[in-house]
């Protein structure tokens, strides 16, 4: 299980590291515009399946996040990491609620697809996930 947590943390660290570096340099829009364009195209590719696509994306995201957080809770017995994991879990819960609410509004026709993603919350989530994954890797490498 420790290897699975390490692999997940490594993947998160690499993926969010790119975005986090852009955030630190004050240029997150470089990546966000590409993501937004692909996301809107993906949703509008076939109107009838937008609901299924959004729900599938939300479910997949939720499953991966729950697995990562449960592994972190089970395997990291450092009180600091436990507190940081709780903070990350709370932030991600807020993130999912906001995304679900925006998706609901989109499916009802109240907002456009480009307004589903809240970039402020995305940036906070990226910073938390990057930092948490880095600390998980450090903990695994040096303290287990």
């Amino acid at each position: 299980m420790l290897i699975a947590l390490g692999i997940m943390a490594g993947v998160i660290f690499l993926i969010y590291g790119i975005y986090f570096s852009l955030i630190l340099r004050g240029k997150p829009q470089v990546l966000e515009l590409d993501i937004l364009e692909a996301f809107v195209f993906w949703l509008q590719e076939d109107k009838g399946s937008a609901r299924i696509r959004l729900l599938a994306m939300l479910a997949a995201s939720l499953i991966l996040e729950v697995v990562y957080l449960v592994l972190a809770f089970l395997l990291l017995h450092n009180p600091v990491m436990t507190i940081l994991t709780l903070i990350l879990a709370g932030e991600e819960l807020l993130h999912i609620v906001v995304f679900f609410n925006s998706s609901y509004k989109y499916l009802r026709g109240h907002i456009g697809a480009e307004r589903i993603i809240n970039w402020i919350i995305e940036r906070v989530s990226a910073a938390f996930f990057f930092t948490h994954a880095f600390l998980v890797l450090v903990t695994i490498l040096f303290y287990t």
Side-chain angles (χ1 to χ4, degrees):
M1 286 198 320
L2 192 62
I3 293 172
L5 178 61
I7 290 170
M8 290 182 83
V11 170
I12 290 167
F13 179 76
L14 290 174
I15 291 172
Y16 278 109
I18 296 165
Y19 187 34
F20 189 63
S21 70
L22 290 170
I23 292 169
L24 290 178
R25 287 187 264 154
K27 300 177 184 180
Q29 301 85 358
V30 172
L31 184 61
E32 291 170 354
L33 290 174
D34 289 339
I35 291 171
L36 184 60
E37 184 179 305
F39 179 69
V40 170
F41 178 75
W42 178 69
L43 278 179
Q44 296 175 345
E45 192 173 42
D46 181 17
K47 272 287 197 196
S49 65
R51 170 176 280 134
I52 293 168
R53 290 173 193 223
L54 282 171
L55 288 175
M57 186 174 87
L58 188 61
S61 173
L62 186 61
I63 289 167
L64 288 171
E65 289 173 8
V66 166
V67 168
Y68 175 76
L69 293 170
V70 166
L71 286 174
F73 277 123
L74 291 175
L75 300 173
L76 304 176
H77 304 292
N78 178 335
V80 172
M81 285 306 297
T82 301
I83 291 168
L84 290 175
T85 304
L86 284 170
I87 293 169
L88 177 62
E91 190 279 328
E92 282 306 304
L93 180 61
L94 172 67
H95 185 198
I96 287 172
V97 167
V98 168
F99 186 85
F100 186 80
N101 186 40
S102 297
S103 297
Y104 180 78
K105 288 178 183 178
Y106 167 73
L107 293 171
R108 295 286 176 236
H110 299 293
I111 63 171
E114 68 282 350
R115 293 194 50 214
I116 293 175
I117 300 173
N118 182 322
W119 292 110
I120 293 171
I121 292 178
E122 289 296 327
R123 292 173 189 173
V124 170
S125 179
F128 271 129
F129 256 120
F130 174 79
T131 304
H132 191 274
F134 173 74
L135 293 173
V136 165
L137 291 172
V138 168
T139 301
I140 289 172
L141 290 173
F142 295 108
Y143 299 107
T144 55

